[in-house]
Amino acid sequence: EGAGGMSEEDLAWCASAMGGIRARRMTAEKHFPPGRILHLSGTTGNGNGKGNGNGNGNGNGDAVRPTLTEVSREAFQELRLHPRMFDLTRHIPSRYEVLLKRIWEEVKTEAMGKVEAVAGV
C-alpha cells in the first residue's frame, strides 16, 4: 500500500498520467492578478475569528495568530488539493475579512506602542 491507501501500481499510473498532462496540457501562460500574492495562515480553529490564543492551527484549538506571507508566483504553477479545502465553513469571505482585520488591528496596536515608547508617553 502506498500513499492514501493506493497500490504502488496505481501510484505509478497516477504519476505517469500527471507527467503526460504536464507535458501536453499544462503549457499555457499562467495569469495572476497584478501586484503581490499573499498567503494567509494561522487561522482560527472554530471558524468564528475569535479565540483565546490556545489553538495550534490544526483546527482543534481556539485560535492561532494569523499571518500574511508574500509568496512567489511559482508556488501556484499547479493545482494543489487538500481534504480541508472541501470544508465550505473554512472558505467563506467573511472568515478572511475577520482575519485580515485582526492582523491590521495587531499591526496598528504594535505601531502605536512604538510611537508611544519613542514619545515617552
Side-chain angles (χ1 to χ4, degrees), residues 14 16 22 31 33-35 37 49-51 63-64 67-68 81 84 88 114 117:
C14 289
S16 175
R22 282 187 190 115
H31 297 281
I37 300 173
K50 299 175 183 172
V64 173
T67 59
L68 285 176
L81 299 176
R84 285 189 299 198
L88 297 180
K114 290 178 183 177

Side-chain angles (χ1 to χ4, degrees), residues 45-81:
N46 57 14
N48 66 8
K50 299 175 183 172
N52 60 16
N54 293 330
N56 58 12
N58 66 5
N60 296 325
D62 290 328
V64 173
R65 181 177 177 167
T67 59
L68 285 176
T69 307
E70 187 168 1
V71 294
S72 70
R73 294 169 191 258
E74 288 76 33
F76 297 95
Q77 295 301 311
E78 287 190 10
L79 179 65
R80 295 179 186 171
L81 299 176

Side-chain angles (χ1 to χ4, degrees), residues 24-35:
R24 291 186 308 277
R25 305 264 184 203
M26 298 175 76
T27 58
E29 178 183 358
K30 307 298 187 267
H31 297 281
F32 301 96

Side-chain angles (χ1 to χ4, degrees), residues 56-116:
N56 58 12
N58 66 5
N60 296 325
D62 290 328
V64 173
R65 181 177 177 167
T67 59
L68 285 176
T69 307
E70 187 168 1
V71 294
S72 70
R73 294 169 191 258
E74 288 76 33
F76 297 95
Q77 295 301 311
E78 287 190 10
L79 179 65
R80 295 179 186 171
L81 299 176
H82 188 279
R84 285 189 299 198
M85 293 172 75
F86 299 102
D87 179 357
L88 297 180
T89 63
R90 298 178 67 89
H91 294 280
I92 52 176
S94 62
R95 184 177 160 96
Y96 295 106
E97 291 169 5
V98 166
L99 293 171
L100 289 171
K101 183 176 180 181
R102 186 185 316 159
I103 291 170
W104 171 246
E105 293 298 327
E106 288 176 4
V107 167
K108 198 165 58 170
T109 301
E110 289 172 10
M112 289 303 294
K114 290 178 183 177
V115 167
E116 289 173 357

Side-chain angles (χ1 to χ4, degrees), residues 10-24:
D10 288 341
L11 287 172
W13 180 88
C14 289
S16 175
M18 193 64 204
I21 291 170
R22 282 187 190 115
R24 291 186 308 277

